[in-house]
Amino acid sequence: MNVYYQSTRGGGEKVTASKAILMGLAEDGGLFVPDHLPKLDRSLEELAAEDYKECAHDVMKLLLTDYSEEELKECIAKAYDSKFDTPEIAPMAEAEGAYYLELFHGKTIAFKDMALSILPHLMITAARKNKDERTIVILTATSGDTGKAALAGFADVPGTKIIVFYPKDGVSPIQKRQMITQTGSNTCVIGVDGNFDDCQTEVKRIFTDEAENRKLNGNGYRFSSANSINIGRLVPQIVYYVYAYTRLVREGRIKAGDPVNFCVPTGNFGNILAAYYAGQMGIPVHKLICASNSNRVLYDFFTTGTYDRNRRFVLTMSPSMDILVSSNLERLIYHIAGDDAGKNAELMKELSAEGKYSITPEMREKLRIFTGGYASEEDTAEAIRSLYEDTGYVIDPHTAVARHVYQQYAKESGDKTPTVIASTASPFKFETSVLRSLGQPAEGDDLALADALSRIANVPVPEAVESLRGAAVRHTKVTDRAGMEREVSAFLGI
């Protein structure tokens, strides 16, 4: 049965997967969601015998139903190739009885590579399928990792241009260096005086601005998104949860049908939503453990049933989670409201007007699979230090948030279910914070710090960092939120 996509806010007609990927965001400002979630059509044992590419095909074919087998396999082959530094694509490391799913072996050493390596190919194929000859303008806000991964994926891809906005004081030194040195004649990177929520809110406003879209269309352009608001980002993320579960089956660590927990550090909610979808499609999930940093808006939501962004924004050592408006939560709200677009639209209107909303007791009951926790800065540093001292394994601050939250959950609940922790970035992306957490000197050039971390962790500096040595700075523009739309027009020459 074909899967079609509809807006979480009820506007517009159902569209095909390729059309949803091409649009990025629904015309009414809502997010595209599948009209049903199909079940896996291969057994867990069969999936366990597959490599990553084969698993990716067997998951994505169920959700991207208007892509032919040939088209989908070609996209997958181009995405998951030698740009990953391991043939496993997403290997797992066992430490202290938990399984760390390493999602950072791609070109930019962060989990965003898992989806952004394939999104350009899905998008170009979608344009061809829909006979759309306009140049695709990827408009993206980033809290650090999406920006570089999207830039790397779309750089010099024919028929595309990409504009990335990032909070100029809200990303790590390596994240910033990765973005501002990005090559490609079709790339544009702009710092913003503000936080990620400012960037994301304005990008979503520009997306749905009728006058801006008319101007683009008149000049042969169309907007799309590389953020996780694009369903083409979310579908490939489901794959690695299926893959992780079936690796445990393949290695004899669990039996097919045994439940697992997934513990996911999350800010914009897309990564853990993908785990939720994997469970809905047939992966036996006991608990989804949502790990937050000091910006604990999601923890408070799961604890109280009220989402409230009216609070102090905290800059932390896990900047990709420094988010107070978790866009992908809207998809979950839509589902727990019984796929009721009207109810969801009402709550999103409250969020826009008042900065908060509360869900009903019936909706809260549907969240029983979720539990949450948060880690302070001290907790995060301790999680990095103690894991290294106990095992020699070095993790980044985002993964450390998840480790701390999982340990607290296991202690308080007594839950012995095998648990997979999503390890979302290489420690080399945040070497200053990691070195400080390990009690090591962390002053000076960020590339010299990478060398120091390499010696401590006993692993080579990743190519994604090594390649930055001597790389020229190409993007120096900074604007405020009010100037973002102007910068888009300037880059496109319209």
Side-chain angles (χ1 to χ4, degrees):
M1 183 184 297
N2 286 338
V3 175
Y4 292 93
Y5 291 83
Q6 56 204 23
S7 171
T8 51
R9 301 185 190 180
E13 299 178 347
K14 291 183 180 182
V15 298
T16 61
S18 64
K19 185 74 170 177
I21 289 171
L22 205 53
M23 292 175 68
L25 192 68
E27 292 176 347
D28 62 356
L31 279 62
F32 283 115
V33 286
D35 61 358
H36 70 282
L37 280 168
K39 295 295 184 182
L40 296 169
D41 64 356
R42 304 205 69 183
S43 71
L44 297 173
E45 292 90 346
E46 288 174 317
L47 290 166
E50 298 182 340
D51 64 17
Y52 195 88
K53 291 181 185 178
E54 292 166 333
C55 183
H57 175 262
D58 279 338
V59 174
M60 286 195 275
K61 72 177 184 183
L62 301 173
L63 291 158
L64 308 181
T65 52
D66 68 319
Y67 285 75
S68 70
E69 181 176 4
E70 181 183 3
E71 288 170 335
L72 191 52
K73 285 187 173 180
E74 182 180 2
C75 291
I76 290 168
K78 288 179 177 177
Y80 304 113
D81 57 11
S82 59
K83 70 174 69 71
F84 286 83
D85 64 17
T86 169
E88 293 175 274
I89 308 298
M92 276 194 291
E94 185 177 2
E96 300 179 320
Y99 302 98
Y100 288 79
L101 177 61
E102 295 184 346
L103 300 172
F104 53 77
H105 288 274
K107 197 170 183 179
T108 74
I109 56 175
F111 83 97
K112 307 297 176 69
D113 290 323
M114 302 299 295
L116 283 166
S117 293
I118 193 170
L119 181 61
H121 305 295
L122 292 175
M123 196 168 283
I124 294 302
T125 303
R128 187 169 63 244
K129 290 174 73 66
N130 287 276
K131 296 180 172 54
D132 193 328
E133 297 181 357
R134 289 173 291 177
T135 296
I136 301 168
V137 179
I138 305 299
L139 188 62
T140 292
T142 184
S143 54
D145 287 334
T146 288
K148 174 58 182 178
L151 288 162
F154 282 93
D156 289 324
V157 171
T160 71
K161 291 182 180 292
I162 178 166
I163 306 167
V164 170
F165 291 101
Y166 71 96
K168 72 178 183 66
D169 297 318
V171 299
S172 80
I174 287 290
Q175 285 177 314
K176 182 175 181 178
R177 190 187 289 248
Q178 283 184 310
M179 288 188 285
I180 63 176
T181 59
Q182 176 67 50
T183 59
S185 59
N186 64 336
T187 64
C188 177
V189 180
I190 301 172
V192 176
D193 281 316
N195 59 40
F196 171 73
D197 289 328
D198 295 322
C199 299
Q200 179 171 252
T201 300
E202 184 63 9
V203 162
K204 291 176 76 173
R205 188 201 67 76
I206 295 171
F207 248 106
T208 54
D209 184 274
E210 291 184 7
E212 184 70 9
N213 276 275
R214 281 197 302 271
K215 184 166 67 172
L216 253 72
N217 187 53
N219 285 275
Y221 294 113
R222 69 164 303 148
F223 278 139
S224 193
S225 173
N227 282 86
S228 54
I229 57 175
N230 192 318
I231 198 70
R233 265 280 306 276
L234 196 56
V235 169
Q237 291 180 266
I238 300 170
V239 173
Y240 51 73
Y241 292 109
V242 176
Y243 183 75
Y245 183 90
T246 58
R247 290 321 91 182
L248 295 178
V249 172
R250 181 173 184 164
E251 295 166 8
R253 300 178 186 275
I254 61 173
K255 294 178 181 178
D258 289 347
V260 299
N261 298 327
F262 289 115
C263 182
V264 186
T266 191
N268 219 15
F269 205 73
N271 204 6
I272 197 167
L273 182 67
Y276 173 78
Y277 279 171
Q280 295 293 299
M281 293 177 71
I283 295 300
V285 177
H286 175 58
K287 283 291 181 184
L288 295 171
I289 305 167
C290 181
S292 301
N293 64 15
S294 297
N295 293 292
R296 41 181 275 184
V297 63
L298 287 168
Y299 167 75
D300 291 342
F301 169 71
F302 284 114
T303 303
T304 67
T306 295
Y307 191 94
D308 188 352
R309 64 172 170 82
N310 300 310
R311 62 185 69 205
R312 184 172 67 92
F313 183 90
V314 183
L315 288 174
T316 73
M317 71 172 84
S318 48
S320 297
M321 300 162 65
D322 290 347
I323 295 170
L324 295 181
V325 180
S326 303
S327 284
N328 268 288
L329 186 63
E330 179 172 345
R331 286 185 166 111
L332 182 64
I333 296 300
Y334 170 85
H335 292 311
I336 64 174
D339 290 0
D340 185 338
K343 178 62 177 177
N344 174 71
E346 175 188 317
L347 294 174
M348 294 307 112
K349 187 175 180 180
E350 286 182 34
L351 180 64
S352 179
E354 302 170 23
K356 63 180 180 179
Y357 61 81
S358 296
I359 60 174
T360 65
E362 293 77 15
M363 292 168 72
R364 285 194 71 183
E365 184 65 23
K366 295 180 181 179
L367 294 177
R368 291 175 67 89
I369 195 173
F370 287 91
T371 188
Y374 71 95
S376 67
E377 291 291 87
E378 294 77 14
D379 295 331
T380 305
E382 168 61 18
I384 294 170
R385 183 194 62 77
S386 60
L387 183 62
Y388 174 71
E389 290 180 351
D390 292 345
T391 69
Y393 188 54
V394 180
I395 55 176
D396 90 292
H398 304 77
T399 309
V401 168
R403 175 180 181 251
H404 172 80
V405 168
Y406 169 62
Q407 287 188 319
Q408 291 298 110
Y409 165 76
K411 181 180 178 181
E412 293 170 6
S413 67
D415 185 1
K416 304 292 186 185
T417 304
T419 297
V420 174
I421 295 174
S423 186
T424 53
S426 165
F428 286 90
K429 205 148 191 173
F430 305 94
E431 77 276 87
T432 301
S433 297
V434 172
L435 287 168
R436 285 177 180 156
S437 299
L438 296 175
Q440 300 293 321
E443 304 302 324
D445 179 73
D446 46 2
L447 296 175
L449 296 180
D451 291 332
L453 181 57
S454 174
R455 291 190 292 271
I456 291 168
N458 197 31
V459 295
V461 176
E463 175 59 26
V465 176
E466 196 67 48
S467 63
L468 296 175
R469 299 186 196 276
V473 173
R474 300 184 67 251
H475 306 277
T476 58
K477 283 191 175 181
V478 175
T479 187
D480 57 13
R481 177 174 164 178
M484 289 170 60
E485 183 175 330
R486 182 176 63 250
E487 293 295 345
V488 170
S489 296
F491 176 63
L492 298 177
I494 59 176

